[in-house]
Amino acid sequence: MIDAGDLVFDCGDAEDLTQRLEAAADAILNSGKTLLGLGGEHFITLPLLRAYGKKYGEMALIHFDAHTDTYNQGSRYDHGTMFYKAVKDGLIDPKRSVQVGIRTENPDTLGFNIIDAREVHETGPVAVAQKIRNILSDHPTYLTFDIDGLDPAFAPGTGTPVWGGLTSGQASIILRDIAGINLVGGDVVEVSPPFDTTGATAVAGAHIALELICLWGWTRR
């Protein structure tokens, strides 16, 4: 395991960032390794998915978030549109994918399976984990965790907090109970240090990152 360092790019040039990130991910994947992306802006998942798609084809997606990020609006580079683009580009199969913790409205689900925050609270994390496993089967899977999938009580340091989210305990149970899925890569995004005055969000993000590393390792046992 190595720290691959930070991605250097021209600040404010979204197209440059997109191209450089995809190329950097290509280089790592072509070396026979995988990577855990740490952001930052959730849009980074799209160039990462483009790199993974060259190796694995159409993948399943597990997406923890308060928002679906499948909106067909906004700029070409936008943290609310990247999964709309990913579906349209054939990078992910929404029927094999699941979005967890959603608690904002978006009428067009693009066929994603959605386990909203209320369902997590009412049915419990063990049942949710089993539902996720049933949806994914053994399909190659990418996991992206937007830190605002957690309730602001557990992760206040993010740009678009929404109340009613997952607890850190629920998230940890779900992540541990999906061990054995065919995980090929993942990322943790939207931690914002300027808003994280207590450091609690960084702690939550670090624990989630560790769980993703363990999930990937379990896949290759």
Side-chain angles (χ1 to χ4, degrees), residues 204-219:
H207 278 288
I208 292 165
L210 177 60
E211 295 297 331
L212 297 196
I213 293 170
C214 293
L215 275 176
W216 183 83
W218 184 279
T219 301

Side-chain angles (χ1 to χ4, degrees), residues 5-22 24 38-41 43-44:
D6 297 332
L7 181 72
V8 178
F9 61 95
D10 293 330
C11 184
D13 189 339
E15 185 170 1
D16 175 68
L17 165 63
T18 301
Q19 293 172 349
R20 291 194 186 201
L21 180 52
E22 183 177 347
L38 301 175
E41 166 71 59
F43 184 82
I44 68 167

Side-chain angles (χ1 to χ4, degrees), residues 126-138:
V126 174
V128 167
Q130 185 58 56
K131 186 173 182 178
I132 292 171
R133 294 172 65 91
N134 292 341
I135 292 168
L136 299 177
S137 186
D138 62 348

Side-chain angles (χ1 to χ4, degrees), residues 147 152 155-161 190-202:
I147 204 67
T158 189
T160 51
E190 296 290 340
V191 174
S192 178
F195 296 154
D196 191 24
T197 57
T198 68
T201 314

